[in-house]
Amino acid sequence: MNLSKSTQIVEPSWLARPSPEVAPDLVGCTIVRQFPDGTIVRGMIVETEAYGPNDPACHAYRCRTQRNWVMFGPPGISYVYLIYGRYHCFNIVTDQDGVASAVLIRALEMECVPSWINLPQGAKRHRIAAGPGKLCEVLQIDRSLNAQILAIGQSLWLEHRSGELQPELVQTTRIGLSQGVDLPWRWYLKDSLCVSKL
DNA sequence: TCTAAGATGGCA
DNA sequence: GCCATCTTAGAA
């Protein structure tokens, strides 16, 4: 008899809430990346930021565009965009269909270092996914994974926290913005060495 | 069409 | 602190 907790996959309905509610709940969840050859890489979310309607920092603040239309879609899909012409950022679309809302994943604690990542001499292996652009490189996320459904067996999906305990979170303002700087919509795992800023 | 700025990260 | 590098949105 197996009484141990089985893995709980995050369902779209769980994400159908305002992003500032979902973002702290996502810390401690695990992102699973599956490649076409079946290889699987996993990392625990340690840092998130929420973006939503009436939020001047949100890409969808003004109107629907070719880039941001995914944010208006139903919860449980990916929103991937390119920033500064060189880095990708990975978001999880939240809230009801039609509400422009998403959670930016800013840092992961990797279960192990994927073989395609070669660590430079002296590099800290626990910081390979400490930052939104870095985690996309480690998980090989680019715009081809934009607007994908996050479900088991796909390229990406999410698993709920395994522990019983709520992780201890710290809430702060968001990073790297010029608009909406006062909204305290960033959360990270307290004392984690894998967050984007130490 | 043109251009300024961007939810970054690496290196000096 | 500086800058690479290029897409995007918004102005002209």
Side-chain angles (χ1 to χ4, degrees), chain A residues 5 45 58 72 90 106 108-109 136 138 140 146 153 155-156 175 177 184 187:
Chain A
K5 56 212 175 289
I45 299 171
C58 180
F72 291 84
F90 171 65
R106 288 191 55 89
L108 301 178
E109 179 179 320
C136 283
V138 172
Q140 297 190 359
N146 187 35
S155 299
L156 286 164
I175 289 180
L177 309 178
W187 290 266

Side-chain angles (χ1 to χ4, degrees), chain A residues 23 46 80 83 114 176-177 186 190:
Chain A
V46 297
V80 181
I83 190 166
L177 309 178
R186 170 177 177 246
K190 191 184 179 193

Side-chain angles (χ1 to χ4, degrees), chain A residues 85-159:
Chain A
R86 35 169 96 188
Y87 302 104
H88 294 273
C89 288
F90 171 65
N91 297 250
I92 296 164
V93 176
T94 60
D95 217 319
Q96 308 293 320
D97 195 1
V99 180
S101 171
V103 174
L104 170 69
I105 307 303
R106 288 191 55 89
L108 301 178
E109 179 179 320
M110 298 307 296
E111 199 164 79
C112 53
V113 180
S115 56
W116 55 86
I117 299 293
N118 56 339
L119 284 172
Q121 191 77 339
K124 299 184 169 101
R125 90 191 332 50
H126 64 276
R127 297 200 49 82
I128 54 168
K134 296 169 87 176
L135 72 90
C136 283
E137 191 185 341
V138 172
L139 297 185
Q140 297 190 359
I141 293 173
D142 60 27
R143 280 175 298 176
S144 70
L145 294 182
N146 187 35
Q148 300 293 302
I149 293 170
L150 306 176
I152 191 162
Q154 303 293 307
S155 299
L156 286 164
W157 67 89
L158 297 167
E159 294 172 359

Side-chain angles (χ1 to χ4, degrees), chain A residues 9-100:
Chain A
I9 305 300
V10 171
E11 301 289 343
S13 58
W14 188 80
L15 298 165
R17 298 175 283 149
S19 55
E21 264 182 55
V22 176
D25 288 352
L26 278 171
V27 175
C29 293
T30 296
I31 293 182
V32 186
R33 172 79 165 103
Q34 181 171 236
F35 294 93
D37 71 353
T39 304
I40 281 185
V41 181
R42 305 166 92 251
M44 184 180 70
I45 299 171
V46 297
E47 181 180 348
T48 59
E49 281 181 2
Y51 291 84
N54 305 315
D55 166 14
C58 180
H59 284 170
Y61 180 56
R62 290 169 174 277
C63 56
R64 201 177 294 231
T65 67
Q66 188 153 119
R67 176 176 66 167
N68 69 27
W69 63 271
V70 181
M71 290 183 81
F72 291 84
I77 58 178
S78 60
Y79 169 46
V80 181
Y81 65 90
L82 186 66
I83 190 166
Y84 297 113
R86 35 169 96 188
Y87 302 104
H88 294 273
C89 288
F90 171 65
N91 297 250
I92 296 164
V93 176
T94 60
D95 217 319
Q96 308 293 320
D97 195 1
V99 180

